[in-house]
Amino acid sequence: MRLTWSLTLLLWGCLIAGAIEPISTSIAVGIAAAVTGFLARYQNVLYYFHECCRPEWISYNRTGFEEALQTKLFGQHVASRVVLKAVTGFMNNTNPKKPLVLSLHGWTGTGKNFVSQLIAESIYRQGMSSGFVHLFTATAHFPHEMNLELYKTQLQQWIKGNVTNCPRSMFIFDEMDKMHPGLIDSIKPYLDFYETLDGVSYRQAIFIFLSNAGGENIVQVALDFWTRGRDREEIELKHLETALSLSVFNNKNSGFWHTSLIDKNLVDFFVPFLPLEYKHVVQCGLAEMAAKGRTPDREVVDLMAHDLNYFPKEERVFSMQGCKIISSRLDFYM
């Protein structure tokens, strides 16, 4: 990299000087020497202009992450608590025994993708745009079951190549409920407790799986709490995690069906995302208006939230769409 930058700067300097007036060979050599000397003395300055696998670009911001979870994620007290502790503990561990593996579950619109984005933003200076954050979507990247063996090979090569390039890489797998069974098992060795595999250590990497599978179990627990008159905030991880892992493991329509990732306990946390209530939809709406540069208007947001679908049908407690469609709906109501 240093040689490339030196040549680039040298060429640039020569072109600029040549555009002004002819220069002698001795002056050109002097410029080259000066540039080379500058780079040798201030080589780290180059890291500020191009993303690389260094602390200037990858550094965990726990305070910012916690604040974002508190102010931008609504109705997910269980997920917020679990994810914050899991990510913080992993990032503060200088010698983890395995990669961090999180599996986020819940109905669409409850915040799974959003939390993945917040995790990326708390670690990588460029967030989801970072060259070290890799997003895979089942229907886009692995659409054809007939190519399953090819996908396995490609996925292994992709992960190995990127972790070799930067040990602190993040891999997000969306639509796990649409993933072909067996595909995700191909990366099992990279999630295990190996110190190295073929000279590569995967222990600093992060793997996040997003899935709608198990959403029914989560909804049922939330509904039971509401029916018995118990407060939503009383729901804890222990009420959901075991049933959730068993549900996705035994679901033939899930990418986790009979997967060794669950069988070998390689998933660190199964994180449940609860169905959102009316008040949470309103909070999302007000936040979205502010994000659009508009003054939050409770009357407009209430009108939009009221027209969405809820269940149980008579009581209208839980939103069926969550916050996913709020951005487009608000454009209509505003």
Side-chain angles (χ1 to χ4, degrees):
M1 178 184 289
R2 296 174 191 168
L3 180 59
T4 302
W5 271 94
S6 298
L7 291 174
T8 301
L9 289 173
L10 178 58
L11 178 60
W12 176 82
C14 290
L15 288 175
I16 294 298
I20 298 173
E21 62 179 40
I23 60 176
S24 67
T25 304
S26 60
I27 295 178
V29 172
I31 293 176
V35 170
T36 303
F38 174 82
L39 292 174
R41 188 173 180 181
Y42 300 104
Q43 54 183 285
N44 287 344
V45 75
L46 301 179
Y47 297 124
Y48 289 94
F49 295 97
H50 185 274
E51 186 184 32
C52 53
C53 191
R54 288 174 56 90
E56 290 88 349
W57 295 89
I58 304 176
S59 181
Y60 179 52
N61 180 0
R62 184 199 187 282
T63 302
F65 186 35
E66 183 175 16
E67 181 181 355
L69 289 171
Q70 291 175 349
T71 60
K72 297 179 180 180
L73 181 67
F74 307 112
Q76 302 299 350
H77 67 282
V78 178
S80 293
R81 188 180 307 128
V82 173
V83 171
L84 178 62
K85 288 185 176 182
V87 174
T88 300
F90 180 74
M91 293 301 296
N92 288 341
N93 188 348
T94 57
N95 186 31
K97 301 303 180 184
K98 62 181 291 297
L100 176 63
V101 183
L102 302 176
S103 190
L104 315 186
H105 297 264
W107 277 8
T108 183
T110 52
K112 302 184 300 295
N113 281 282
F114 184 56
V115 165
S116 300
Q117 175 186 325
L118 293 182
I119 294 174
E121 291 175 351
S122 73
I123 299 174
Y124 302 91
R125 186 166 146 191
Q126 298 207 36
M128 290 297 293
S129 298
S130 170
F132 307 122
V133 177
H134 313 281
L135 173 64
F136 300 94
T137 303
T139 52
H141 294 99
F142 316 110
H144 307 298
E145 188 173 6
M146 67 181 71
N147 296 329
L148 184 58
E149 294 306 314
L150 174 62
Y151 294 152
K152 289 181 179 180
T153 301
Q154 290 177 335
L155 188 55
Q156 290 173 339
Q157 293 174 344
W158 183 258
I159 291 177
K160 181 178 180 179
N162 281 285
V163 174
T164 300
N165 181 44
C166 182
R168 187 68 82 186
S169 293
M170 178 185 291
F171 303 92
I172 303 171
F173 295 84
D174 197 5
E175 299 181 337
M176 280 299 298
D177 48 304
K178 299 180 178 64
M179 187 82 73
H180 301 300
L183 174 57
I184 209 63
D185 272 348
S186 66
I187 68 170
K188 182 259 182 188
Y190 307 137
L191 276 60
D192 216 326
F193 290 82
Y194 299 117
E195 186 171 351
T196 61
L197 284 172
D198 296 327
V200 180
S201 174
Y202 297 86
R203 292 182 169 187
Q204 292 187 337
I206 298 176
F207 294 82
I208 302 176
F209 303 105
L210 313 179
S211 178
N212 291 345
E216 293 77 9
N217 299 70
I218 299 171
V219 169
Q220 189 58 54
V221 170
L223 193 58
D224 289 343
F225 268 72
W226 175 79
T227 302
R228 296 199 300 267
R230 297 182 63 182
D231 193 82
R232 176 190 182 94
E233 275 64 38
E234 293 181 48
I235 301 176
E236 298 178 19
L237 182 64
K238 64 183 181 181
H239 296 127
L240 292 156
E241 190 173 33
T242 301
L244 187 56
S245 62
L246 289 174
S247 172
V248 298
F249 183 77
N250 293 311
N251 186 347
K252 289 186 177 182
N253 295 319
S254 167
F256 282 125
W257 182 62
H258 286 186
T259 176
S260 60
L261 272 63
I262 296 178
D263 193 37
K264 300 299 182 181
N265 297 310
L266 297 181
V267 178
D268 297 301
F269 292 97
F270 288 90
V271 186
F273 282 71
L274 302 170
L276 300 182
E277 299 177 7
Y278 179 89
K279 62 182 179 182
H280 304 129
V281 174
V282 171
Q283 288 177 307
C284 287
L286 294 172
E288 183 63 27
M289 286 192 74
K292 290 177 178 289
R294 303 288 293 271
T295 301
D297 189 325
R298 180 61 186 258
E299 184 176 347
V300 171
V301 172
D302 271 330
L303 181 62
M304 179 272 303
H306 182 270
D307 288 347
L308 297 178
N309 297 317
Y310 298 84
F311 71 96
K313 188 174 182 179
E314 297 299 324
E315 292 84 356
R316 289 171 56 86
V317 180
F318 300 114
S319 170
M320 297 182 69
Q321 296 107 330
C323 290
K324 194 161 191 174
I325 65 172
I326 282 183
S327 181
S328 58
R329 286 294 182 96
L330 272 177
D331 291 335
F332 172 78
Y333 286 90
M334 289 191 297

